[in-house]
Amino acid sequence: MMETIIGKIQKDQEKENRLIYEKAGQILRSGGLVAFPTETVYGLGGDALDEKASAKIYAAKGRPSDNPLIVHIADQKDLYELSCDVNEKALKLAEKFWPGPLTMILKKKDIVPNSITGGLGTVAIRMPSHPVAAELIRTSGVYIAAPSANTSGKPSPTKAEHVINDLSGKIDMIIEDDTVDIGVESTIVDLSEEIPTILRPGYITQEMLCEVLGEVRIDPAIEGSLKPGVVPKAPGMKYKHYAPNADLAIVEGQMEHVISYINDAAAKKEAQGFSVGIMATDETKNLYHTGEIRSVGSRNSEASVAHNLYALLREFDQMGVQYIYSESFSTNNVGQAVMNRLIKAAGHTIIEV
Ligand code: AMP
Ligand code: MG
């Protein structure tokens, strides 16, 4: 176990904050690991061009080595350092959505080690908008490879305490600043082939990308349930992921049927001696009668559900519930990303009522 330094970014503490960035920069330049907030989730960063650093990322997370890492940059020009094919579409998207929650897949240059691309000839690149992430990348002077800062398979971290729970003692430093806003990982769009393809839904939706590029497809493997034999193009999307310890089921149908199904199911499980969590919404939480009832947000705001989703899954873990029943949510806007993550977290258990 190593000692993990925790540096908390605070308003109006210029000098102290500067010291945190300096320390983090030193760690990154010497091949160590620093977790930091972004606008999507916390990332676990290491020098993207240093194979030893990326090996440490895989080890700390317990991440399969074929699951490539996203490289984070602070300046649009850095695209040319990492990719040999910065095409027109990439420039248009960068202009419109960077800095922000959009990752682009492009053909890679040789300086990008195969070990961070899972052996693929492409590299995933993002320029985050979170001020702490941007400042860290800029001042450290390295391109930062950063997957989500969670143990592989668990819900992604949206608060420093989540990172501390998963990675304390395994990484050099955690920069704390609980202003992670969006709550689900970046949209990934593959621009390395003819038709731009969304490999992972996120805050930037297909409609938003279409407005800039015209035609944009969604990788059929990530729409709805995974069909046997259909392999997603983003290697990471094939794993069970984002999952709480409890057995999670999504209940779908007319709202009153959903509520009565969940009330019955929860009562039955409790009668058998199990503890049950219910993922409800502001509008429905008072309609449940038993179990640990929590609202994940408002049915009128997909963004509120995205923001709270992972934190609530982790809260259920901390409470030690054995079964979770979740309502199903709108797939408008960032709701598509929410349902994509929730379905994976549930291991595709969807109960239609
Ligand atoms: P995370 O860092 O936890 O947000 O996961 C990164 C995601 O990006 C995973 O689903 C990866 O499979 C995907 N990814 C990274 N690089 C590539 C690439 N070159 N081609 C396709 N998917 C990628
Ligand atoms: Mg992840």
Side-chain angles (χ1 to χ4, degrees):
M1 289 280 260
M2 62 171 87
E3 199 202 329
T4 302
I5 303 167
I6 300 189
K8 192 175 160 83
I9 298 293
Q10 280 166 311
K11 245 190 161 167
D12 306 323
Q13 300 279 329
E14 278 289 316
K15 240 175 150 180
E16 290 79 356
N17 292 347
R18 182 69 24 233
L19 290 175
I20 292 172
Y21 289 117
E22 274 171 19
K23 182 74 202 163
Q26 276 166 13
I27 291 171
L28 289 169
R29 286 188 299 276
S30 58
L33 304 187
V34 177
F36 60 98
T38 81
E39 68 275 22
T40 57
V41 301
Y42 272 83
L44 174 58
D47 180 348
L49 304 186
D50 175 349
E51 299 206 42
K52 287 202 191 103
S54 52
K56 288 184 195 166
I57 294 179
Y58 284 98
K61 281 179 61 79
R63 182 174 174 110
S65 61
D66 71 341
N67 189 1
L69 309 178
I70 296 172
V71 181
H72 294 74
I73 61 176
D75 189 325
Q76 203 176 303
K77 288 199 293 293
D78 297 340
L79 270 173
Y80 296 95
E81 304 297 322
L82 300 168
S83 171
C84 57
D85 179 30
V86 182
N87 51 50
E88 196 62 28
K89 291 175 184 140
L91 292 175
K92 280 188 181 161
L93 290 183
E95 213 45 62
K96 176 85 180 174
F97 297 112
W98 277 4
L102 180 71
T103 297
M104 298 195 240
I105 308 287
L106 294 167
K107 295 206 171 69
K108 80 175 192 72
K109 271 192 169 169
D110 288 344
I111 60 157
V112 179
N114 288 324
S115 53
I116 69 157
T117 67
L120 299 171
T122 51
V123 59
I125 308 174
R126 176 158 96 92
M127 181 167 146
S129 63
H130 193 289
V132 173
E135 185 71 2
L136 178 66
I137 305 164
R138 203 180 57 73
T139 57
S140 68
V142 301
Y143 306 123
I144 302 184
S148 48
N150 53 307
T151 299
S152 199
K154 292 234 152 285
S156 297
T158 53
K159 296 183 180 166
E161 76 177 76
H162 304 154
V163 184
I164 293 168
N165 286 342
D166 281 14
L167 298 177
S168 190
K170 297 182 177 172
I171 63 175
D172 300 281
M173 184 171 184
I174 298 169
I175 303 183
E176 178 176 354
D177 179 23
D178 282 340
T179 55
V180 169
D181 180 30
I182 295 174
V184 292
E185 303 82 349
S186 60
T187 305
I188 301 179
V189 63
D190 186 352
L191 300 175
S192 68
E193 286 176 33
E194 203 42 38
I195 303 172
T197 307
I198 295 174
L199 307 189
R200 178 174 73 184
Y203 182 82
I204 308 288
T205 60
Q206 183 180 24
E207 296 73 49
M208 290 155 83
L209 295 171
C210 279
E211 266 182 40
V212 179
L213 297 183
E215 189 182 11
V216 177
R217 314 188 296 138
I218 299 189
D219 181 2
I222 60 165
E223 275 185 300
S225 297
L226 263 189
K227 292 167 197 76
V230 185
V231 180
K233 279 193 71 192
M237 298 302 281
K238 70 176 179 284
Y239 295 108
K240 182 169 180 186
H241 214 149
Y242 320 114
N245 297 329
D247 209 319
L248 166 64
I250 303 165
V251 185
E252 222 167 56
Q254 251 184 47
M255 209 59 239
E256 65 223 63
H257 296 160
V258 168
I259 291 164
S260 88
Y261 180 92
I262 293 179
N263 272 325
D264 286 352
K268 272 193 203 127
K269 288 290 182 210
E270 288 194 324
Q272 292 164 3
F274 296 112
S275 68
V276 178
I278 297 177
M279 192 136 92
T281 47
D282 295 350
E283 292 79 6
T284 58
K285 64 177 192 279
N286 293 328
L287 303 171
Y288 294 101
H289 308 311
T290 188
E292 298 289 350
I293 305 156
R294 297 288 183 280
S295 170
V296 68
S298 165
R299 300 198 74 79
N300 300 320
S301 159
E302 297 88 17
S304 69
V305 179
H307 182 79
N308 298 320
L309 178 71
Y310 291 140
L312 183 52
L313 290 174
R314 281 179 177 261
E315 192 184 326
F316 283 134
D317 273 356
Q318 293 235 305
M319 290 189 279
V321 304
Q322 290 140 304
Y323 288 89
I324 302 170
Y325 294 98
S326 176
E327 295 174 8
S328 177
F329 306 105
S330 145
T331 53
N332 292 333
N333 306 312
V334 73
Q336 185 174 26
V338 167
M339 286 310 293
N340 169 267
R341 308 305 194 272
L342 189 61
I343 289 169
K344 282 166 74 73
H348 298 271
T349 306
I350 303 174
I351 300 164
E352 305 276 353
V353 294

